[in-house]
Amino acid sequence: MPGPTSSTFGPWSRRLILVVFVLAFITLWQTGRGALPWAFEYPKGAELPLARWIGQFTKWLLNEATFGLFTFSQLTRFISSVIDLPYRVVLSLLSTGFLSGRGSAAIQLTPSLSYLTVIGLVALIGHHAGGRRLALLSAACLAFVAVFGQWSSAMVTLASIVVAVPLGVAGGGLLGILAYRHRWVERLIGPILDLMQTIPVFAYLVPILFLFGFGPTAAVLATIIFAMPPMTRVTLLALRRVPGELTDLGQIIGCTRAQMTWRVLVPTAKDGLMVGVNQVIMLSLNMVIIAAMIGAGGLGFDVLAALRRLDIGAGLESGLAIVALAIMLDRLSQAFAEKTGAAPAGPGWTGRHPYLLAGLALIVVAGFGGLVVPALQTYPAGAVLTTGTFWSRVVEWINVNYFDDIEAVKNALLLGVLVPFKRLLLDLPWLGVVAALGLLGWRLGGLRLALLAGGLSFLIAALGLWEKAMITVYLCGISTVVAMLIGMPIGIIAAERRGLWRWVQVVIDTLQTLPSFVYLMPAVMLFRVGDFTAMIAVVAFAVAPAIRYTALGLQGVDPNLIEAGRSMGCTPWQLLTRIKLRLALPEMMLGLNQTIMFALSMLVITALVGTRDLGQEVYIALTKADTGKGLAAGLCVAFIAIIADRLIGAAAARARVRLGLAEAVS
Amino acid sequence: MTLSPPKLVCSNVWKLFGARASEKFAAMGHAPSLEQIRANGLVSAVRNVNIEVRTGEIFVIMGLSGSGKSTLVRCLSRLIEPTAGEILFNGENLLAASNAQMVEIRRHKMSMVFQHFALLPHQSVLENVAFPLDVQGMGRTEREARAREMIALVGLEGREESFPRQLSGGQQQRVGIARSLATQPELWFLDEPFSALDPLIRREMQDEFMRLQSALKKTIVFITHDFDESIRLADRIAIMKDGEVVQCGTAEEIVLNPASDYVREFARAVPKAKVVRVSTLMAAPGGRETQGDIASDKTIAEAAPRFRQGATALRVIGDGGRPVGHLLRDDVVALMLGD
Ligand SMILES: Nc1ncnc2c1ncn2[C@@H]1O[C@H](COP(=O)(O)OP(=O)(O)OP(=O)(O)O)[C@@H](O)[C@H]1O
Ligand SMILES: [Mg+2]
C-alpha cells in the first residue's frame, strides 16, 4: 500500500529524507562513539528490569497468589495430577508394567505389553486406517526401534506423546471452538498464539520448570503447550470454513448450541481438524529432545546425553529412533485424516469391531506367550544391532583423512565472512539501528509499522540484550542468506521439471517432519561446536521453505504471460529473469520470511553447541531455573521474529501491488 | 375462491448489515432512503417489506441475484434478526419468542430446503433425513421408520445407505426435501432449491414438487431467480428489487399489469396465454352458440386446443359449477398473437 508516505511527501522529498538519514547514520556510526557513547552502549541505569519483575511475579504466584477458592499452587498441583495419572497408566502399559509400592521396593503386578504386542497393535491400527502397506510401514518403524536397542527409551517417549497429543488436541480444539463462538476470545488469544509461535520453546520451559518442577509431568505439559497453538488455529479456520448453509440447517431444525457444535460443526469440519491433529503429533515429536531438558527421559534424554558426551554414534541411533516414531505417527494420522466414510460392517458385535477383537486377542495371546518365553516379552539383548561404533568410526575416518580440508573451508568462511559480519553488526549504534528500522517500517507500511519495528527494537536495547540480539541477528542473517542461496537455485531448477519436483517435494517434506535436533548431530560430528556448526545446522533446517516457496512462486506465474514472453522472442534466461522471477517475487519473499522463522527457531536450539546469542541466554536461564531472565531473552527472540515478519510481509504486499497482482488498499 | 387465513404476516421488515445497524436505523428516522443507508456505511438487504403468506399457498419470492431474497427468508425464519419490523406466525409475534420457544417452533413447525442441499457429508441418506428427528431426541427405530417413509415419498428407496457424495445433484436435493419434510412442518421454506441443478433435472424436480404439494398442502415460501419457475409454481409472486418488494400478486396480475418497467422486463418474455386465465378473458354470457364447456380457472394456453376443431365459443363454468360467461375464439387468437 502506498500509505501516507506517498500522499504527504513527493518522491523528491522522500529521497531527500533517505539521503539525510543515511548521512546521519554514517556520521553517528563512525564518529559518535566518543560524543554519544550511550547510543552505542545502552546505559545500564536506564535498563528495564523486566527479568526481575518476572522473577518476582512468579515467586508471588507460587507463594501467595490465590483465586479465592484455591491458591495458585493448588491449581498447578491439580494440572499436574490431570497429566500425571494418564501418563502413569500409559507408561505402565508400555514400559514399566503395573507396579505396587514405590521405588526399588516395588513389585511388578503385571508386565508391560510385550514389544511384539505393541508392534502388532500398531500394525492393526495401520491396517484399519490405511490398509496393508501402512500396517507394514508402521510395524517396520517400530521393529527398527527394537532391533537397534532403543525399545525401552522409545516406549517412554511414546507414552509421553500418547498422553500429550489427546490433551493437546482437546485443549487446542476447545479453545478454537470458544474462539469461533466468541469474538472476544478470538481477539484475546490471537496475539498470544502469534507470540507463542515466535517465542523460542526454551523460554517457556523456564517458567514451567519453576512452577512444576523437574520431571515427566512438566515435560508433557511443555509439550502440550508447544503443540497446542496450531490446533487452535486450525480448529478456528476449519469451523469458519463450514458452509453457512449447514449452520443455517442446524438452526432451522432447532439444534441446541451443544448439538450445533458436536453434531453439525465438528463432524463437517473433520478433515480440517485432522490436519490439526497431525500438526500436534509432529510438534510433540519435535519437542521430545527439548522436553528432555526438563525431565522427559526416553529417547530425548538419550540424544541429549549423547550430544553432551559428543558420542555421535549413540546420539544418531536415538535420533533415528525418534525419526522412526515420527514417520510412523505422521503416516498413521494422515491415513486417518484421509479415511472417509464407514467401512462396510459385518453382522453382530464381532463383525462390527473386528479390529478391537483382534487387538484383544493379540494382547492375551502375546501376554501369556511372554510369560513362558522371555524373548517374546522383551526383545532379546543378544539380537540388538548397533551401528554406534560404525558411525563413530566413519566420523573418525573422515576426521583423520579430511580434517585439514574441512578445517580450511571452515576457517576460510569463519574469517572471511562470519567474523567480519558479526563485528560489523556489533559495531553499529543501537540508536541508529532502531531509527533505521523505524524508517524502513514507515516506508513499507506507514506509521503503525514504523512504531512497531522501532518500538520492539528499542525494547531489546532497553532490556540490556542488544549485543546478544545482534549475535542472533548475525547467525540468523548468515544462515538465511546461505539457505536462500542454496534453496533458490534448487527451487528454480525443480519448478519446471515435474518429475524432479516430485522428488524434491518428498525430500523437503521429510526434512520438515524430522525433529530439528537431528540436524545438529551430523554438523557437530564434522565441525565440532561453534558458530559454524550452528550455521550448518540452521541452514539444513531452513533450506526447505526456501526451496518450496521459490518453486511454488514460479509455478504460480500466469502461463499466459510466459506465452506472451515467448512470443516476443525472449531467451529462456530472459524469460526467467525478466518475467518469472519478477512475478514470483512476492511468493519468494514469503519464502524468505519462512526461512527466517525456521532459522530463528533452530538457532535457539543450537545454543547447545555453544553459540553466544539470545538462545544461550535462555538455555542458561533454563539450567538455573531463572524465569525472568529466560522469558526476557525469549521475548527478544520473538521481537526479532515479529519485526522481520512484519517488514517482509509489508514489502511483499507492496511488491504485489506494484506488479498488479493485488489491489492497493488505501 | 375464499381466502384462507394468513399463516405468516410480515410488516415493515427491514434488514441492514453493518456495524451498529439498528442504532443508525433509528437515527435515520426508521425510513431511510437507499442513499442515506449507503452514506451511513451500511448495506441494505431488505427494505420495508410487507407480505402475507396464506395457509396452503405457494408464495414465491422472485428477484435477481443480490436483491435480498435469501436475507428476507432468513428474517422470516428468524435465522437472522431483522433490523426492524414485525413478523406474525400463526398470529403470534415470532420476534418476541424466546430462544427455547424458537427451538420448539423450528423443531416442529417450520423447515427449510437449501440451494446447495446442506447435507451432512459424514452421514448416510437415512441418517441425514432422520437428523432433525434425532436432534429432537426421537428414538432410533421411530425416527428411522419416519425417515424411510420420507425417502420413499421423494422416490429414493434403495439409496438409504448411500452417502451424499455418491448421489447426483438432483438426488441430493431429494434428500434435502425428504429431510425438511420429516418433521411434518406447517411452513416450508425453499431457498432456490433447484437453481444448482441443470435445466432438465430442474423441470423434473418442479413436477415432483407440485406432485408432493398437491398431496401435502403445506404453506410454502419458495425463492427463485427464475421467472418461468415462479410462474409454473406460484399461487402468488412477490418481486424483489434492491431489497424492496416492487410488486406482489398472481402471475396473471403481474403479467397483465406490471407495476414498473423493471417488472415489465420480466413479464415480456412470458407468453400471456400461459398465465392469463379463462375467467379474465371471458365475455358476458348470452346470445351465442357454444361448442363445449371450459373451467374458468384454466389458462388460455390450456383452453386454446379446444378451438382447433372449429369451435368459435366455449361456455365458461365457474367455481360453483354454474356457467359464468363465454370464451370467444377471436379473443383467444388476439391474446395469443400478442397485443
Ligand atoms: N452477512 C451479510 N453481511 C453483509 N451484507 C450481506 C450479508 N448477507 C447478505 N448481504 C448483502 O445483502 C444483499 C442481499 O443479499 P441476499 O443474499 O439476500 O441476496 P439474494 O437475493 O438471495 O441473492 P442470490 O440470488 O445471489 O442468493 C446483497 O447485497 C448482499 O451483499
Ligand atoms: Mg440467495
Side-chain angles (χ1 to χ4, degrees):
Chain A
M1 71 190 107
T5 48
S6 57
S7 50
T8 32
F9 300 93
W12 277 109
S13 50
R14 254 188 288 154
R15 219 160 283 172
L16 194 68
I17 290 176
L18 196 68
V19 171
V20 170
F21 178 80
V22 168
L23 287 179
F25 185 88
I26 292 176
T27 328
L28 176 69
W29 175 25
Q30 294 302 333
T31 63
R33 215 168 251 286
L36 299 171
W38 55 268
F40 288 80
E41 297 280 340
Y42 190 85
K44 278 259 179 299
E47 269 174 23
L48 280 179
L50 181 67
R52 214 177 62 225
W53 291 342
I54 295 177
Q56 283 165 351
F57 176 69
T58 42
K59 280 217 186 72
W60 171 82
L61 267 184
L62 207 54
N63 298 327
E64 293 168 41
T66 136
F67 301 99
L69 290 179
F70 51 90
T71 63
F72 187 79
S73 49
Q74 279 170 328
L75 177 71
T76 57
R77 238 170 286 149
F78 171 72
I79 295 175
S80 313
S81 59
V82 166
I83 294 171
D84 202 43
L85 186 71
Y87 178 73
R88 293 278 152 224
V89 172
V90 178
L91 191 68
S92 305
L93 266 180
L94 289 177
S95 170
T96 58
F98 286 92
L99 307 175
S100 135
R102 286 190 166 272
S104 50
I107 311 160
Q108 200 177 42
L109 298 178
T110 63
S112 64
L113 295 179
S114 73
Y115 74 102
L116 286 177
T117 314
V118 176
I119 293 178
L121 287 179
V122 165
L124 276 177
I125 296 174
H127 193 271
H128 177 52
R132 192 169 305 158
R133 276 186 58 162
L134 187 62
L136 274 178
L137 177 80
S138 357
C141 283
L142 274 188
F144 172 87
V145 170
V147 169
F148 282 91
Q150 305 291 328
W151 188 261
S152 61
S153 291
M155 286 307 109
V156 175
T157 297
L158 194 60
S160 66
I161 303 269
V162 165
V163 174
V165 168
L167 287 174
V169 166
L174 288 179
L175 259 184
I177 290 173
L178 274 184
Y180 173 82
R181 276 192 189 168
H182 307 285
R183 260 216 101 80
W184 63 267
V185 176
E186 191 200 342
R187 292 235 184 85
L188 187 76
I189 61 176
I192 300 180
L193 293 183
D194 278 348
L195 195 66
M196 280 178 73
Q197 283 196 332
T198 43
I199 212 169
V201 211
F202 279 3
Y204 47 82
L205 288 189
V206 191
I208 290 174
L209 185 60
F210 192 78
L211 296 175
F212 294 88
F214 186 88
T217 313
V220 172
L221 183 67
T223 308
I224 293 172
I225 293 178
F226 176 66
M228 222 170 67
M231 185 69 203
T232 303
R233 235 180 254 276
V234 168
T235 305
L236 186 58
L237 271 181
L239 292 183
R240 288 260 161 80
R241 228 175 274 149
V242 171
E245 275 195 352
L246 281 169
T247 52
D248 281 354
L249 166 78
Q251 275 193 38
I252 202 81
I253 62 173
C255 281
T256 60
R257 208 140 100 146
Q259 285 174 327
M260 183 73 141
T261 302
W262 299 112
R263 310 276 326 257
V264 178
L265 289 173
V266 171
T268 14
K270 183 202 146 220
D271 289 357
L273 295 177
M274 281 310 289
V275 174
V277 174
N278 180 263
Q279 292 230 4
V280 173
I281 293 177
M282 296 326 283
L283 288 179
S284 302
L285 279 160
N286 239 315
M287 269 297 274
V288 163
I289 301 175
I290 299 171
M293 292 180 185
I294 57 171
L299 292 172
F301 177 78
D302 296 350
V303 173
L304 214 54
L307 211 57
R308 289 198 181 122
R309 300 197 300 273
L310 286 183
D311 179 352
I312 303 310
L316 199 68
E317 277 185 351
S318 304
L320 285 177
I322 299 179
V323 174
L325 285 187
I327 292 175
M328 176 186 93
L329 292 173
D330 179 48
R331 296 299 128 82
L332 281 177
S333 63
Q334 275 187 13
F336 270 107
E338 280 157 23
K339 204 167 137 71
T340 45
W349 191 87
T350 48
R352 255 180 286 133
H353 304 278
Y355 287 101
L356 196 59
L357 210 65
L360 288 175
L362 180 65
I363 292 174
V364 172
V365 172
F368 280 113
L371 290 179
V372 183
V373 189
L376 295 180
Q377 175 66 25
T378 40
Y379 188 78
V384 167
L385 294 180
T386 174
T387 52
T389 38
F390 168 74
W391 289 114
S392 300
R393 265 207 225 109
V394 168
V395 175
E396 209 171 291
W397 180 79
I398 293 178
N399 279 339
V400 166
N401 288 293
Y402 295 97
F403 183 80
D404 293 335
D405 302 322
I406 292 175
E407 282 295 296
V409 172
K410 178 175 149 185
N411 287 336
L413 274 174
L414 264 177
L415 295 179
V417 184
L418 270 70
V419 174
F421 183 53
K422 181 172 167 182
R423 290 237 174 84
L424 173 76
L425 282 182
L426 286 174
D427 208 33
L428 293 176
W430 66 265
L431 188 66
V433 175
V434 168
L437 286 172
L439 189 73
L440 193 61
W442 179 59
R443 291 278 286 112
L444 290 175
L447 194 62
R448 277 181 65 147
L449 192 57
L451 285 178
L452 182 87
L456 289 184
S457 52
F458 173 75
L459 268 180
I460 295 176
L463 289 172
L465 290 166
W466 187 260
E467 201 184 308
K468 300 263 189 299
M470 278 298 128
I471 299 184
T472 298
V473 170
Y474 131 77
L475 270 175
C476 176
I478 288 268
S479 312
T480 305
V481 169
V482 176
M484 290 303 276
L485 283 180
I486 298 175
M488 277 175 17
I490 297 181
I492 291 173
I493 293 169
E496 286 181 8
R497 297 170 179 79
R498 289 223 144 267
L500 181 63
W501 172 233
R502 209 168 305 136
W503 280 106
V504 171
Q505 246 180 332
V506 169
V507 172
I508 56 183
D509 280 347
T510 317
L511 282 181
Q512 287 194 334
T513 47
L514 301 186
S516 36
F517 263 86
V518 173
Y519 296 91
L520 213 48
M521 225 100 59
V524 176
M525 284 198 283
L526 295 176
F527 306 107
R528 279 168 297 282
V529 297
D531 283 4
F532 188 76
T533 309
M535 186 194 88
I536 297 289
V538 173
V539 168
F541 185 59
V543 78
I547 298 176
R548 190 189 303 277
Y549 281 85
T550 306
L552 289 183
L554 289 175
Q555 287 165 351
V557 172
D558 184 356
N560 287 327
L561 292 175
I562 298 174
E563 203 84 311
R566 206 167 278 143
S567 70
M568 283 184 288
C570 287
T571 63
W573 177 251
Q574 284 171 325
L575 215 54
L576 181 69
T577 52
R578 298 279 177 82
I579 297 181
K580 292 193 210 159
L581 282 180
R582 241 178 240 195
L583 288 170
L585 188 67
E587 192 81 13
M588 286 165 70
M589 282 168 106
L590 285 186
L592 174 66
N593 197 349
Q594 284 294 306
T595 308
I596 294 179
M597 296 303 134
F598 270 59
L600 270 177
S601 71
M602 183 67 198
L603 195 55
V604 176
I605 291 168
T606 60
L608 283 182
V609 295
T611 53
R612 300 221 179 313
D613 65 340
L614 288 168
Q616 189 69 354
E617 277 296 284
V618 184
Y619 187 52
I620 293 171
L622 184 62
T623 54
K624 294 187 192 150
D626 182 345
T627 313
K629 193 171 162 183
L631 273 186
L635 278 177
C636 285
V637 179
F639 291 165
I640 295 175
I642 292 171
I643 294 172
D645 177 70
R646 299 296 135 82
L647 287 180
I648 295 172
R654 268 175 85 97
R656 214 170 281 136
V657 171
R658 205 179 53 233
L659 295 169
L661 299 174
E663 294 275 326
V665 251
S666 52
Chain B
M1 216 200 298
T2 50
L3 290 183
S4 50
K7 166 108 350 203
L8 189 70
V9 180
C10 139
S11 17
N12 306 320
V13 166
W14 291 76
K15 179 69 197 180
L16 309 180
F17 288 107
R20 298 189 289 124
S22 44
E23 258 172 67
K24 289 182 183 170
F25 179 74
M28 288 184 285
H30 300 278
S33 65
L34 258 185
E35 292 73 38
Q36 266 180 305
I37 294 171
R38 248 176 243 144
N40 271 283
L42 299 177
V43 177
S44 76
V46 169
R47 294 189 295 144
N48 200 20
V49 167
N50 296 282
I51 51 175
E52 195 178 289
V53 182
R54 299 190 197 113
T55 306
E57 80 172 331
I58 302 181
F59 188 91
V60 170
I61 300 175
M62 213 280 310
L64 296 181
S65 187
S67 57
K69 310 176 297 287
S70 294
T71 309
L72 176 59
V73 90
R74 287 155 59 85
C75 285
L76 295 180
S77 55
R78 219 179 147 203
L79 285 174
I80 50 176
E81 296 291 329
T83 310
E86 191 184 49
I87 295 169
L88 299 180
F89 175 58
N90 286 337
E92 289 183 36
N93 187 353
L94 197 66
L95 298 180
S98 68
N99 270 344
Q101 284 170 320
M102 260 339 278
V103 166
E104 274 315 292
I105 293 173
R106 287 182 178 144
R107 285 186 174 182
H108 300 292
K109 305 220 160 128
M110 49 172 74
S111 70
M112 190 180 275
V113 178
F114 298 89
Q115 180 172 2
H116 302 286
F117 324 134
L119 301 180
L120 295 171
H122 59 285
Q123 293 190 339
S124 67
V125 167
L126 185 66
E127 288 166 324
N128 260 296
V129 175
F131 186 61
L133 305 172
D134 188 5
V135 162
Q136 296 175 10
M138 188 184 279
R140 187 191 192 92
T141 36
E142 195 184 345
R143 68 167 188 258
E144 288 195 349
R146 175 94 65 84
R148 280 178 204 284
E149 230 174 85
M150 293 302 138
I151 292 170
L153 190 65
V154 298
L156 276 182
E157 300 104 320
R159 302 307 301 262
E160 287 88 348
E161 303 309 324
S162 309
F163 282 87
R165 67 192 123 78
Q166 300 165 327
L167 301 179
S168 70
Q171 288 171 324
Q172 292 192 31
Q173 194 57 296
R174 282 170 196 263
V175 178
I177 288 175
R179 176 179 61 191
S180 68
L181 291 173
T183 55
Q184 299 172 330
E186 298 167 16
L187 181 57
W188 198 18
F189 294 107
L190 298 101
D191 187 354
E192 305 205 27
F194 309 140
S195 297
L197 306 175
D198 58 53
L200 274 181
I201 307 285
R202 195 182 308 167
R203 258 199 117 72
E204 186 189 317
M205 292 293 284
Q206 287 166 356
D207 293 338
E208 183 85 18
F209 171 77
M210 290 308 275
R211 181 183 67 77
L212 276 175
Q213 170 63 358
S214 62
L216 298 171
K217 301 266 191 291
K218 303 274 180 209
T219 306
I220 293 173
V221 177
F222 189 108
I223 295 190
T224 177
H225 61 239
D226 177 354
F227 196 55
D228 276 336
E229 187 169 72
S230 49
I231 283 171
R232 287 195 69 188
L233 307 179
D235 290 317
R236 286 190 307 139
I237 305 172
I239 297 183
M240 288 190 78
K241 176 175 186 272
D242 296 334
E244 277 179 320
V245 172
V246 290
Q247 189 171 8
C248 180
T250 61
E252 189 178 7
E253 284 163 10
I254 287 173
V255 170
L256 292 181
N257 299 308
S260 67
D261 289 344
Y262 180 77
V263 181
R264 192 166 297 124
E265 215 33 57
F266 281 116
R268 196 202 303 281
V270 181
K272 283 191 179 138
K274 273 183 147 180
V275 292
V276 175
R277 304 208 175 258
V278 170
S279 53
T280 312
L281 198 65
M282 69 187 178
R288 278 179 218 97
E289 199 163 307
T290 57
Q291 289 86 16
D293 291 348
I294 183 94
S296 67
D297 61 349
K298 290 261 190 273
T299 61
I300 299 301
E302 286 165 323
R306 303 281 300 278
F307 292 99
R308 224 178 255 150
Q309 275 86 36
T312 54
L314 296 173
R315 191 163 65 134
V316 180
I317 308 297
D319 275 346
R322 288 182 305 111
V324 288
H326 289 170
L327 182 65
L328 307 183
R329 179 194 172 106
D330 292 346
D331 292 343
V332 170
V333 170
L335 181 94
M336 291 186 83
L337 291 180
D339 47 16

